[in-house]
Amino acid sequence: MNYHVLTLFPEMIEQGLNTSIIGRAIEKGLLTLKATNIRDYAFNKHSKVDDYPYGGGAGMVMQAEPVYCAYEAISKEMPKKPRVVYMTPQGRVFDQAMAEELAQEENLVFLCGHYEGIDERVLEEIVTDYVSIGDYVLTGGELPAMVMIDAISRMVPGVLSNNESAEYESFQDGLLEYPQYSRPEEWHGKKVPSILLSGHHANVEKWRHEQSLVRTKERRPDLYEAYMQKEAEEKSKKKK
Ligand code: ADE
């Protein structure tokens, strides 16, 4: 997977993603990450990339040309037109299914806006996906792009060790993960559930699944409803 981020703050992307699991995957060559400074494609001597909005209003708008030139420079190296994800609170809300889908791409371009947004005309020409990371407004698209890159990278084969991938399985089926415990057996008067010390693998699995159900129902009733509905549909399919 090759990530290309078009941004006014390349150092934010590079510093934010060069550590831990993603940093390790980059070192191993499983991922590449290139942050391109849109300012390098400014067409005036002051390296200005924004201007006042036509029609008036607060704030500044990022101009079309530098964004387009930055995109052209990176995409001409690619074998086919890449998917270009524009980070915006107006987009479809990012989720695990989208992470899995995007992980299939060979190249992904993330376009990060600032100020009051980007000139609509360049968005029309280059953007393939408008994506939000949630219903709140951030100061720029860099943190959302980093969130997406982190979640997508976990889905790229080899990025997680076997141990780490197993951990993900429980969210994959639409449920939240069960509670985890480590040593000591008793802490602040609280004991580790005895079943986890029993060594009985099947019982442990059953308990964990029940805990996942309880937890999901309590914390994310929306996910719980969807899970129960899917289960019911699968049962009725089997009967037919
Ligand atoms: N830019 C500003 N806020 C955002 C959000 N919630 N998601 C994606 N991009 C954004």
Side-chain angles (χ1 to χ4, degrees), residues 87-89 131-134 136-138 140 144:
M87 305 312 313
T88 167
V131 182
S132 165
I133 61 157
Y136 39 80
V137 181
L138 299 165

Side-chain angles (χ1 to χ4, degrees), residues 123-174:
L123 299 179
E124 284 168 11
E125 285 202 17
I126 69 171
V127 173
T128 58
D129 301 78
Y130 292 79
V131 182
S132 165
I133 61 157
D135 291 337
Y136 39 80
V137 181
L138 299 165
T139 54
E142 284 75 15
L143 285 170
M146 286 159 70
V147 166
M148 285 188 68
I149 289 171
D150 190 285
I152 294 165
S153 299
R154 298 177 75 254
M155 302 294 102
V156 172
V159 169
L160 296 185
S161 66
N162 281 346
N163 261 345
E164 289 159 343
S165 340
E167 191 195 319
Y168 155 77
E169 307 277 304
S170 67
F171 194 62
Q172 191 174 37
D173 63 17

Side-chain angles (χ1 to χ4, degrees), residues 78-231:
M78 299 176 198
K80 64 171 192 169
K81 193 180 162 352
R83 277 175 81 170
V84 179
V85 180
Y86 176 46
M87 305 312 313
T88 167
Q90 298 178 8
R92 200 176 125 205
V93 178
F94 184 56
D95 62 10
Q96 191 65 39
M98 208 192 293
E100 279 167 48
E101 193 224 324
L102 290 172
Q104 312 302 315
E105 299 291 322
E106 194 181 326
N107 288 289
L108 278 177
V109 177
F110 291 89
L111 173 58
C112 305
H114 257 266
Y115 316 118
E116 289 307 303
I118 300 181
D119 191 306
E120 191 66 21
R121 293 166 295 182
V122 68
L123 299 179
E124 284 168 11
E125 285 202 17
I126 69 171
V127 173
T128 58
D129 301 78
Y130 292 79
V131 182
S132 165
I133 61 157
D135 291 337
Y136 39 80
V137 181
L138 299 165
T139 54
E142 284 75 15
L143 285 170
M146 286 159 70
V147 166
M148 285 188 68
I149 289 171
D150 190 285
I152 294 165
S153 299
R154 298 177 75 254
M155 302 294 102
V156 172
V159 169
L160 296 185
S161 66
N162 281 346
N163 261 345
E164 289 159 343
S165 340
E167 191 195 319
Y168 155 77
E169 307 277 304
S170 67
F171 194 62
Q172 191 174 37
D173 63 17
L175 293 175
L176 302 184
E177 207 189 11
Y178 45 81
Q180 296 274 23
Y181 302 87
S182 184
R183 284 197 286 190
E185 258 182 62
E186 188 174 329
W187 180 82
H188 280 202
K190 297 173 204 275
K191 289 203 167 88
V192 172
S194 57
I195 191 149
L196 299 178
L197 312 173
S198 69
H200 193 298
H201 190 66
N203 285 351
V204 169
E205 285 308 300
K206 188 165 167 275
W207 180 85
R208 284 181 164 167
H209 182 66
E210 285 161 6
Q211 291 295 312
S212 279
L213 285 169
V214 170
R215 180 159 279 198
T216 309
K217 188 174 183 190
E218 203 173 278
R219 298 187 184 176
R220 289 293 304 273
D222 56 326
L223 291 182
Y224 182 76
E225 277 305 308
Y227 177 83
M228 294 313 270
Q229 202 169 331
K230 207 174 101 207
E231 285 281 283

